[in-house]
Amino acid sequence: MNTAIVRPLAELRDKVRDWKCRGETIGVVPTMGALHEGHLSLVRAAKAACDRVIVTLFVNPRQFNNAEDFAKYPRTEHADAALLGPLGVDLLFVPDGNEVYPPEHATVISVSGVTGPLEGAHRPGHFDGVATVVTLLFNMTQADRAFFGEKDWQQLQLVRRLALDLKLPIEIVPCPCVRAPDGLALSSRNQRLTPEGRSRAAALPRTLFDAARRIEAGEPAAGTLTAARAELEAAGIGPVEYLELRDGETLQAPQRGRPARLLVAAWLDGVRLIDNVAVVLP
């Protein structure tokens, strides 16, 4: 049985009000659809921690820098509802674009600091779109907990900072990145890779994890990352937009004694792939 699809905000709020009156906790898993096992792992985490679970599906135009990328983003709403059914999701909220952003909508949420480097430098305005829609979805669902994957590491840090700074009454729950058997981080965009490209894509996580191990073993980060870039390009992955070692929380320069993260964004088959891995600095 498919999960019920709810579209009007008024209907969603009626259901949420009923759950809140019963004292039930609500978890939300924000998505843009085209669900895969990574999303389903977030749903399972939400089910384990909350009485009720809402999955949202909204392909947010304000976080796309490229109109073609927005147009090509896979939209599989009814298949998504079928995937969620066996997991016991209470509802799939699929709001209309005009309800999320009516013509008179004039508010943009912007988070500084953590959004500046990496994705922020290569996708101007992207994180304003993310912060704005996440705030709207939190307000619409009135959830107690929100579940985000660690694959979009910088986005996760943005959402944490947003909830903290705005004193939002919601707990942000990070969940581990889910990978295919060859190590590639699961992503809705992977569907757009050609069979040959999908095969070559395995070099991305392999190179990333290898570079992390070398840095942890004490090799200089600069030389290691230069070599890793060359390995990716030799594997047919490129251009590489960034491959950088950063502080795991602030996304600024790494500091000894603090958790670090190695992050990458690169193109393959016209598809932009991102990934990251934890690094323990020696």
Side-chain angles (χ1 to χ4, degrees), residues 17 81 84 89 115 117 167 175 185 195 273 280:
R17 188 179 303 111
L84 296 173
V89 170
T115 63
K167 313 297 187 290
C175 298
L273 304 176
V280 179

Side-chain angles (χ1 to χ4, degrees), residues 200 203 206-207 226-238 240:
R200 282 188 282 135
R206 185 171 62 246
T207 302
T226 297
R229 277 178 171 266
E231 290 171 21
L232 289 174
E233 291 166 359
I237 298 175
V240 178

Side-chain angles (χ1 to χ4, degrees), residues 32-153:
M32 293 203 298
L35 303 185
H36 51 66
E37 181 56 35
H39 296 110
L40 302 187
S41 71
L42 302 180
V43 171
R44 294 187 190 100
K47 287 289 295 182
C50 305
D51 299 310
R52 299 286 182 172
V53 174
I54 300 168
V55 174
T56 67
L57 192 171
F58 181 64
V59 184
N60 179 28
R62 299 199 177 193
Q63 68 188 70
F64 285 82
N65 302 87
N66 185 306
E68 183 179 357
D69 190 26
F70 174 69
K72 288 183 176 179
Y73 197 87
R75 291 163 170 81
T76 56
E77 175 185 310
H78 294 290
D80 293 341
L83 281 175
L84 296 173
L87 299 184
V89 170
D90 293 278
L91 62 88
L92 176 60
F93 179 49
V94 188
D96 180 81
N98 285 331
E99 186 149 45
V100 179
Y101 299 119
E104 66 274 15
H105 184 94
T107 300
V108 176
I109 306 295
S110 183
V111 179
S112 61
V114 71
T115 63
L118 307 171
E119 293 294 290
H122 288 273
R123 303 178 69 186
H126 166 71
F127 280 130
D128 287 356
V130 172
T132 301
V133 79
V134 164
T135 303
L136 289 168
L137 292 172
F138 287 174
N139 285 332
M140 288 174 168
T141 62
Q142 296 292 294
D144 301 288
R145 298 185 181 97
F147 297 78
F148 288 85
E150 293 183 345
K151 171 185 167 286
D152 294 301
W153 184 262

Side-chain angles (χ1 to χ4, degrees), residues 19-37:
W19 296 338
K20 293 276 189 181
C21 286
R22 298 180 195 175
E24 295 175 324
T25 56
I26 301 172
V28 63
V29 180
T31 82
M32 293 203 298
L35 303 185
H36 51 66
E37 181 56 35

